[in-house]
Coordinates of all heavy atoms in Angstrom, one line a residue:
M6 N 0.8 -1.2 0.0 CA 0.0 0.0 0.0 C 0.9 1.2 0.0 O 1.8 1.3 0.8 CB -0.9 0.0 1.2 CG -1.8 1.2 1.3 SD -2.9 1.1 2.7 CE -2.1 2.2 3.9
V7 N 0.6 2.2 -0.9 CA 1.3 3.4 -0.9 C 0.6 4.4 -0.1 O -0.6 4.5 0.0 CB 1.4 3.9 -2.4 CG1 2.1 5.3 -2.5 CG2 2.2 2.9 -3.2
C8 N 1.3 5.3 0.6 CA 0.8 6.3 1.5 C -0.2 7.2 0.8 O 0.1 7.8 -0.2 CB 1.9 7.1 2.1 SG 1.5 8.4 3.1
P9 N -1.4 7.5 1.4 CA -2.3 8.5 0.9 C -1.6 9.8 0.7 O -0.9 10.2 1.6 CB -3.5 8.5 1.9 CG -3.4 7.2 2.6 CD -1.9 6.8 2.7
G10 N -1.8 10.5 -0.4 CA -1.2 11.8 -0.7 C 0.1 11.6 -1.3 O 0.7 12.6 -1.8
A11 N 0.7 10.4 -1.4 CA 2.0 10.2 -1.9 C 2.1 10.5 -3.4 O 3.1 10.9 -4.0 CB 2.5 8.8 -1.6
D12 N 0.9 10.3 -4.1 CA 0.9 10.6 -5.5 C 1.2 12.0 -5.9 O 1.7 12.3 -7.0 CB -0.4 10.2 -6.2 CG -1.6 10.8 -5.5 OD1 -1.5 11.4 -4.4 OD2 -2.7 10.8 -6.1
G13 N 1.1 12.9 -5.0 CA 1.4 14.4 -5.2 C 2.8 14.7 -4.8 O 3.2 15.8 -4.8
L14 N 3.6 13.7 -4.3 CA 4.9 13.9 -3.8 C 6.0 13.4 -4.8 O 6.7 12.5 -4.6 CB 5.1 13.2 -2.5 CG 4.2 13.7 -1.4 CD1 4.5 12.8 -0.1 CD2 4.4 15.2 -1.0
T15 N 6.0 14.0 -6.0 CA 7.0 13.6 -7.0 C 8.2 14.6 -6.9 O 8.0 15.8 -6.5 CB 6.4 13.6 -8.4 OG1 5.8 14.9 -8.7 CG2 5.2 12.6 -8.5
G16 N 9.3 14.1 -7.4 CA 10.5 15.0 -7.4 C 11.0 15.3 -6.0 O 11.1 14.4 -5.2
T17 N 11.3 16.6 -5.8 CA 11.9 17.0 -4.5 C 10.9 17.8 -3.7 O 10.3 18.7 -4.2 CB 13.2 17.8 -4.7 OG1 14.1 17.0 -5.5 CG2 13.8 18.2 -3.4
V18 N 10.7 17.4 -2.4 CA 9.8 18.1 -1.5 C 10.5 18.4 -0.2 O 11.5 17.7 0.1 CB 8.4 17.4 -1.3 CG1 7.6 17.2 -2.6 CG2 8.7 16.0 -0.6
T19 N 10.0 19.3 0.6 CA 10.6 19.5 1.9 C 9.9 18.6 2.9 O 8.8 18.1 2.7 CB 10.4 21.0 2.3 OG1 9.0 21.3 2.5 CG2 11.1 21.9 1.3
V20 N 10.6 18.5 4.0 CA 10.0 17.7 5.1 C 8.6 18.3 5.5 O 7.7 17.6 5.7 CB 11.0 17.8 6.4 CG1 10.3 17.3 7.6 CG2 12.2 16.9 6.1
A21 N 8.5 19.6 5.6 CA 7.3 20.3 5.9 C 6.2 20.0 4.9 O 5.0 19.7 5.3 CB 7.5 21.8 6.0
E22 N 6.5 20.0 3.6 CA 5.5 19.6 2.6 C 5.0 18.2 2.8 O 3.8 17.9 2.7 CB 6.1 19.9 1.2 CG 6.3 21.3 0.9 CD 7.1 21.5 -0.4 OE1 8.0 20.7 -0.7 OE2 6.8 22.5 -1.1
L23 N 6.0 17.3 3.0 CA 5.6 15.9 3.1 C 4.7 15.7 4.3 O 3.6 15.0 4.2 CB 6.8 15.0 3.2 CG 6.5 13.5 3.2 CD1 7.6 12.8 2.4 CD2 6.4 12.9 4.6
L24 N 5.0 16.3 5.4 CA 4.2 16.1 6.6 C 2.8 16.8 6.4 O 1.8 16.2 7.0 CB 4.9 16.7 7.8 CG 6.1 15.9 8.3 CD1 6.8 16.7 9.4 CD2 5.7 14.5 8.7
A25 N 2.7 17.8 5.7 CA 1.4 18.5 5.5 C 0.5 17.8 4.5 O -0.7 17.8 4.6 CB 1.7 20.0 5.0
R26 N 1.1 17.1 3.6 CA 0.3 16.4 2.5 C 0.0 15.0 2.7 O -0.8 14.4 1.9 CB 1.1 16.5 1.2 CG 1.3 17.9 0.7 CD 2.1 17.9 -0.6 NE 2.5 19.2 -1.1 CZ 3.3 19.4 -2.1 NH1 3.7 18.4 -2.9 NH2 3.6 20.6 -2.5
T27 N 0.6 14.4 3.7 CA 0.3 12.9 4.0 C 0.0 12.7 5.4 O 0.2 13.6 6.3 CB 1.6 12.1 3.6 OG1 2.6 12.4 4.6 CG2 2.1 12.4 2.3
P28 N -0.5 11.5 5.8 CA -0.8 11.2 7.2 C 0.4 10.8 8.0 O 0.3 10.5 9.1 CB -1.8 10.0 7.1 CG -1.6 9.4 5.8 CD -1.1 10.5 4.9
T29 N 1.6 10.9 7.4 CA 2.8 10.6 8.0 C 3.0 11.6 9.2 O 2.8 12.8 9.1 CB 4.0 10.7 7.1 OG1 3.8 9.9 6.0 CG2 5.3 10.4 7.7
T30 N 3.3 11.0 10.4 CA 3.5 11.9 11.6 C 4.9 12.1 12.0 O 5.2 13.1 12.7 CB 2.7 11.2 12.8 OG1 3.2 9.9 13.0 CG2 1.2 11.2 12.5
R31 N 5.8 11.3 11.5 CA 7.2 11.4 11.9 C 8.1 10.9 10.8 O 7.8 10.0 10.1 CB 7.5 10.7 13.2 CG 8.8 11.0 13.8 CD 8.8 10.5 15.3 NE 8.5 9.1 15.5 CZ 9.4 8.1 15.6 NH1 10.7 8.4 15.5 NH2 9.0 6.9 15.8
L32 N 9.3 11.6 10.7 CA 10.3 11.2 9.7 C 11.6 10.9 10.6 O 11.9 11.6 11.5 CB 10.6 12.3 8.7 CG 9.4 12.8 7.9 CD1 9.9 14.0 7.1 CD2 8.8 11.7 7.1
V33 N 12.3 9.8 10.2 CA 13.5 9.5 10.9 C 14.6 9.3 9.9 O 14.4 8.7 8.8 CB 13.4 8.3 11.8 CG1 12.5 8.6 13.0 CG2 13.0 7.1 11.1
V34 N 15.8 9.8 10.2 CA 17.0 9.6 9.3 C 17.8 8.4 9.9 O 18.3 8.5 11.0 CB 17.8 10.8 9.2 CG1 19.0 10.6 8.2 CG2 17.0 12.0 8.7
L35 N 17.8 7.3 9.1 CA 18.5 6.1 9.6 C 20.0 6.5 9.8 O 20.6 7.1 8.9 CB 18.4 5.0 8.7 CG 16.9 4.5 8.4 CD1 16.9 3.4 7.4 CD2 16.3 4.1 9.7
G36 N 20.6 6.0 10.9 CA 22.0 6.3 11.1 C 22.2 7.6 11.9 O 23.4 7.9 12.3
S37 N 21.2 8.4 12.0 CA 21.4 9.7 12.8 C 21.3 9.4 14.3 O 20.6 8.4 14.7 CB 20.4 10.8 12.3 OG 19.1 10.4 12.8
P38 N 21.8 10.3 15.1 CA 21.7 10.1 16.6 C 20.2 10.0 17.0 O 19.5 10.9 16.7 CB 22.4 11.3 17.2 CG 23.2 11.8 16.1 CD 22.6 11.5 14.8
A39 N 19.9 8.9 17.6 CA 18.5 8.7 18.1 C 17.4 8.9 17.0 O 16.3 9.2 17.3 CB 18.2 9.7 19.3
H40 N 17.8 8.6 15.8 CA 16.9 8.8 14.6 C 16.2 10.1 14.7 O 14.9 10.2 14.7 CB 15.9 7.6 14.6 CG 16.5 6.3 14.4 ND1 17.2 6.0 13.2 CD2 16.6 5.2 15.2 CE1 17.6 4.7 13.3 NE2 17.3 4.3 14.5
E41 N 16.9 11.2 14.8 CA 16.3 12.5 14.9 C 15.5 12.9 13.7 O 15.8 12.5 12.6 CB 17.5 13.6 15.0 CG 18.2 13.4 16.3 CD 19.4 14.3 16.4 OE1 19.7 15.0 15.4 OE2 20.1 14.3 17.4
Q42 N 14.5 13.7 13.9 CA 13.6 14.2 12.9 C 14.4 15.3 12.1 O 15.0 16.2 12.8 CB 12.3 14.8 13.4 CG 11.5 15.5 12.4 CD 10.1 14.9 12.2 OE1 9.9 13.8 12.7 NE2 9.3 15.6 11.5
P43 N 14.4 15.3 10.8 CA 15.1 16.3 10.0 C 14.4 17.7 10.1 O 13.2 17.8 10.5 CB 15.1 15.8 8.6 CG 14.0 14.8 8.5 CD 13.8 14.3 9.9
E44 N 15.1 18.7 9.8 CA 14.6 20.1 9.8 C 13.5 20.2 8.8 O 13.5 19.6 7.7 CB 15.7 21.1 9.4 CG 16.8 21.2 10.5 CD 16.3 21.8 11.8 OE1 15.5 22.7 11.8 OE2 16.7 21.3 12.8
P45 N 12.4 21.1 9.0 CA 11.3 21.2 8.1 C 11.7 21.6 6.7 O 11.1 21.3 5.7 CB 10.5 22.3 8.8 CG 10.8 22.2 10.2 CD 12.3 21.8 10.3
S46 N 12.9 22.3 6.6 CA 13.3 22.8 5.3 C 14.2 21.8 4.5 O 14.5 22.0 3.4 CB 14.1 24.1 5.4 OG 15.2 23.9 6.2
A47 N 14.5 20.6 5.2 CA 15.3 19.6 4.5 C 14.6 19.1 3.3 O 13.4 18.9 3.3 CB 15.6 18.5 5.5
E48 N 15.3 18.8 2.2 CA 14.7 18.3 1.0 C 14.8 16.8 0.9 O 15.8 16.2 1.2 CB 15.5 18.9 -0.2 CG 15.3 20.4 -0.3 CD 16.0 21.0 -1.5 OE1 17.0 20.5 -2.0 OE2 15.5 22.1 -2.0
I49 N 13.7 16.3 0.4 CA 13.6 14.8 0.2 C 13.4 14.5 -1.3 O 12.4 15.0 -1.9 CB 12.3 14.3 1.0 CG1 12.5 14.6 2.5 CG2 12.2 12.8 0.8 CD1 11.2 14.4 3.3
L50 N 14.2 13.7 -1.8 CA 14.1 13.2 -3.2 C 13.1 12.0 -3.2 O 13.5 10.9 -2.8 CB 15.4 12.7 -3.8 CG 16.5 13.8 -3.8 CD1 17.9 13.2 -4.1 CD2 16.2 14.8 -4.8
T51 N 11.9 12.2 -3.6 CA 10.9 11.1 -3.4 C 11.0 10.0 -4.4 O 10.5 8.9 -4.2 CB 9.5 11.7 -3.5 OG1 9.2 12.1 -4.8 CG2 9.3 12.8 -2.5
S52 N 11.5 10.2 -5.6 CA 11.5 9.3 -6.7 C 10.0 8.8 -7.0 O 9.8 7.7 -7.5 CB 12.4 8.1 -6.4 OG 13.7 8.5 -6.3
G53 N 9.1 9.6 -6.6 CA 7.7 9.2 -6.8 C 7.2 8.1 -5.9 O 6.2 7.5 -6.2
H54 N 7.9 7.8 -4.9 CA 7.6 6.6 -4.0 C 7.8 6.9 -2.6 O 8.9 7.1 -2.1 CB 8.5 5.4 -4.4 CG 8.2 4.2 -3.7 ND1 7.2 3.3 -4.1 CD2 8.8 3.6 -2.6 CE1 7.2 2.3 -3.3 NE2 8.1 2.4 -2.4
V55 N 6.7 7.1 -1.8 CA 6.7 7.4 -0.4 C 5.8 6.4 0.3 O 4.6 6.4 0.1 CB 6.3 8.8 -0.1 CG1 6.2 9.1 1.4 CG2 7.2 9.8 -0.8
R56 N 6.4 5.5 1.1 CA 5.6 4.5 1.8 C 6.1 4.4 3.3 O 7.0 3.6 3.6 CB 5.7 3.2 1.1 CG 4.7 2.2 1.7 CD 4.4 1.0 0.8 NE 5.5 0.2 0.5 CZ 5.5 -0.9 -0.1 NH1 4.3 -1.4 -0.6 NH2 6.5 -1.6 -0.4
P57 N 5.4 5.1 4.2 CA 5.8 5.0 5.6 C 5.4 3.7 6.2 O 4.6 3.0 5.5 CB 5.1 6.2 6.2 CG 3.9 6.5 5.3 CD 4.4 6.1 4.0
E58 N 5.8 3.4 7.4 CA 5.4 2.2 8.1 C 4.8 2.5 9.4 O 5.1 3.6 10.0 CB 6.7 1.3 8.2 CG 7.8 2.0 8.9 CD 9.1 1.2 8.8 OE1 9.4 0.7 7.7 OE2 9.9 1.2 9.8
W59 N 4.0 1.6 9.9 CA 3.4 1.8 11.2 C 4.4 1.4 12.3 O 5.0 0.4 12.2 CB 2.2 0.9 11.4 CG 1.0 1.4 10.7 CD1 0.4 0.9 9.5 CD2 0.2 2.5 11.1 NE1 -0.7 1.7 9.2 CE2 -0.9 2.7 10.1 CE3 0.2 3.4 12.1 CZ2 -1.8 3.6 10.2 CZ3 -0.8 4.4 12.2 CH2 -1.8 4.5 11.2
R60 N 4.6 2.4 13.2 CA 5.5 2.1 14.4 C 4.8 2.7 15.6 O 4.6 3.9 15.7 CB 6.9 2.8 14.2 CG 7.8 2.2 13.1 CD 9.1 2.9 13.2 NE 10.0 2.5 12.1 CZ 11.2 3.0 11.9 NH1 11.7 3.9 12.7 NH2 11.9 2.6 10.9
A61 N 4.5 1.8 16.5 CA 3.9 2.2 17.8 C 2.7 3.1 17.6 O 2.6 4.2 18.3 CB 4.9 2.9 18.7
G62 N 1.9 2.8 16.6 CA 0.6 3.6 16.4 C 0.7 4.8 15.6 O -0.2 5.6 15.5
E63 N 1.9 5.1 15.0 CA 2.0 6.3 14.1 C 2.7 5.9 12.8 O 3.4 4.9 12.7 CB 2.8 7.4 14.8 CG 4.2 7.1 15.1 CD 4.9 8.3 15.8 OE1 4.5 9.5 15.7 OE2 5.9 8.0 16.5
L64 N 2.5 6.7 11.8 CA 3.1 6.5 10.5 C 4.5 7.2 10.5 O 4.6 8.4 10.7 CB 2.3 7.0 9.4 CG 1.2 6.1 8.9 CD1 0.3 6.8 7.8 CD2 1.7 4.8 8.3
V65 N 5.5 6.4 10.3 CA 6.9 6.9 10.3 C 7.5 6.6 9.0 O 7.4 5.5 8.5 CB 7.7 6.2 11.4 CG1 9.1 6.7 11.4 CG2 7.0 6.5 12.8
L66 N 8.2 7.6 8.4 CA 8.9 7.4 7.1 C 10.4 7.4 7.4 O 11.0 8.4 7.8 CB 8.6 8.5 6.1 CG 9.3 8.4 4.8 CD1 8.8 7.1 4.0 CD2 9.0 9.6 3.9
P67 N 11.0 6.2 7.2 CA 12.5 6.1 7.4 C 13.2 6.8 6.1 O 12.8 6.5 5.0 CB 12.8 4.6 7.4 CG 11.5 3.9 7.5 CD 10.4 4.9 7.0
L68 N 14.2 7.6 6.4 CA 14.9 8.3 5.3 C 16.4 7.9 5.4 O 16.9 7.5 6.5 CB 14.7 9.8 5.5 CG 13.3 10.3 5.4 CD1 13.3 11.8 5.8 CD2 12.8 10.2 4.0
V69 N 17.1 8.1 4.3 CA 18.5 7.9 4.3 C 19.1 9.1 3.6 O 18.5 9.8 2.8 CB 18.9 6.6 3.5 CG1 18.5 5.4 4.2 CG2 18.4 6.7 2.1
P70 N 20.4 9.4 4.0 CA 21.1 10.6 3.3 C 21.2 10.3 1.8 O 21.3 9.1 1.3 CB 22.5 10.6 3.9 CG 22.3 9.9 5.3 CD 21.2 8.9 5.0
A71 N 21.0 11.3 1.0 CA 21.1 11.2 -0.5 C 22.1 12.3 -1.0 O 22.6 13.1 -0.3 CB 19.7 11.4 -1.1
A72 N 22.3 12.3 -2.3 CA 23.3 13.2 -2.9 C 22.9 14.6 -2.7 O 21.7 15.0 -2.6 CB 23.3 12.9 -4.4
G73 N 23.8 15.5 -2.6 CA 23.6 16.9 -2.5 C 23.0 17.4 -1.2 O 22.4 18.4 -1.1
G74 N 23.3 16.6 -0.1 CA 22.8 17.0 1.2 C 21.3 16.8 1.4 O 20.7 17.2 2.4
R75 N 20.7 16.1 0.5 CA 19.2 15.8 0.6 C 19.0 14.5 1.3 O 19.9 13.8 1.7 CB 18.6 15.8 -0.8 CG 18.7 17.1 -1.5 CD 18.1 17.1 -2.9 NE 18.2 18.4 -3.5 CZ 18.6 18.5 -4.8 NH1 19.0 17.5 -5.5 NH2 18.7 19.7 -5.3
L76 N 17.7 14.1 1.4 CA 17.3 12.9 2.0 C 16.5 12.1 0.9 O 16.0 12.7 0.0 CB 16.5 13.1 3.2 CG 17.2 13.9 4.3 CD1 16.2 14.4 5.4 CD2 18.2 13.0 5.0
A77 N 16.3 10.8 1.2 CA 15.5 10.0 0.3 C 14.8 8.9 1.1 O 15.4 8.5 2.1 CB 16.3 9.3 -0.8
P78 N 13.6 8.5 0.7 CA 13.0 7.4 1.5 C 13.9 6.1 1.4 O 14.6 5.8 0.4 CB 11.7 7.1 0.7 CG 11.4 8.4 0.0 CD 12.7 9.0 -0.3
F79 N 13.9 5.4 2.5 CA 14.8 4.2 2.7 C 14.3 3.2 1.6 O 15.1 2.5 1.0 CB 14.7 3.6 4.1 CG 15.3 2.3 4.2 CD1 16.7 2.2 4.3 CD2 14.6 1.2 4.4 CE1 17.4 1.0 4.4 CE2 15.2 -0.1 4.5 CZ 16.6 -0.1 4.6
E80 N 13.0 3.0 1.5 CA 12.5 2.0 0.5 C 12.5 2.6 -0.9 O 11.9 3.7 -1.1 CB 11.1 1.6 0.9 CG 10.5 0.5 0.1 CD 9.1 0.1 0.5 OE1 8.7 0.5 1.6 OE2 8.5 -0.6 -0.3
V81 N 13.1 1.9 -1.8 CA 13.1 2.4 -3.2 C 11.9 1.8 -4.0 O 11.4 0.7 -3.6 CB 14.5 2.1 -3.9 CG1 15.6 2.8 -3.2 CG2 14.7 0.6 -3.9
P82 N 11.5 2.5 -5.1 CA 10.3 2.0 -5.8 C 10.5 0.7 -6.5 O 9.6 -0.1 -6.5 CB 10.0 3.1 -6.8 CG 11.2 4.0 -6.8 CD 12.0 3.7 -5.6
D83 N 11.7 0.4 -7.0 CA 11.9 -0.9 -7.7 C 13.2 -1.5 -7.2 O 14.2 -1.5 -7.9 CB 12.1 -0.6 -9.2 CG 10.8 0.0 -9.8 OD1 9.7 -0.6 -9.6 OD2 10.9 1.0 -10.5
P84 N 13.1 -2.2 -6.0 CA 14.3 -2.8 -5.5 C 14.8 -4.0 -6.3 O 14.0 -4.6 -7.0 CB 13.8 -3.3 -4.1 CG 12.4 -3.5 -4.2 CD 11.9 -2.4 -5.2
T85 N 16.0 -4.3 -6.3 CA 16.6 -5.4 -7.0 C 16.1 -6.7 -6.3 O 16.2 -6.8 -5.1 CB 18.1 -5.4 -6.9 OG1 18.6 -4.2 -7.5 CG2 18.7 -6.6 -7.7
P86 N 15.5 -7.6 -7.0 CA 15.0 -8.8 -6.4 C 16.1 -9.7 -5.8 O 17.2 -9.6 -6.3 CB 14.3 -9.6 -7.5 CG 14.3 -8.7 -8.7 CD 15.2 -7.5 -8.4
C87 N 15.8 -10.4 -4.8 CA 16.7 -11.3 -4.2 C 17.2 -12.3 -5.3 O 16.4 -12.8 -6.1 CB 16.1 -12.0 -3.0 SG 17.2 -13.3 -2.3
C88 N 18.5 -12.5 -5.3 CA 19.1 -13.5 -6.2 C 18.9 -13.1 -7.7 O 18.7 -13.9 -8.5 CB 18.5 -14.9 -6.0 SG 18.6 -15.4 -4.2
A89 N 18.9 -11.8 -8.0 CA 18.7 -11.3 -9.3 C 19.7 -11.8 -10.3 O 19.5 -11.8 -11.5 CB 18.6 -9.8 -9.3
D90 N 20.9 -12.1 -9.8 CA 22.0 -12.5 -10.7 C 22.0 -14.0 -11.1 O 22.8 -14.5 -11.8 CB 23.3 -12.2 -10.1 CG 23.6 -12.9 -8.8 OD1 22.6 -13.4 -8.2 OD2 24.8 -13.0 -8.4
R91 N 20.9 -14.7 -10.7 CA 20.8 -16.2 -11.0 C 20.0 -16.4 -12.2 O 19.2 -15.8 -12.6 CB 20.3 -16.9 -9.8 CG 21.2 -16.9 -8.7 CD 20.7 -17.6 -7.5 NE 21.6 -17.4 -6.4 CZ 21.6 -18.2 -5.4 NH1 20.9 -19.3 -5.4 NH2 22.5 -18.0 -4.4

């Protein structure tokens, strides 16, 4: 299931825009101290794919650092299948 409102999150959006347009309640940057929430002005490269996960009753979107000081969703739209080289 893709997050409601995610269809309008193409290209680059800010943390504030993502939180305003979706039911996502929290963003965490994997590998950051205590999974801190990024600044509202931080840019997220969505690749047209935003799918948060339920954690303790809230929708949380895990993010990873991306090129140019931006962030990107941890889950990519078309992951390489397991054992793709076989």
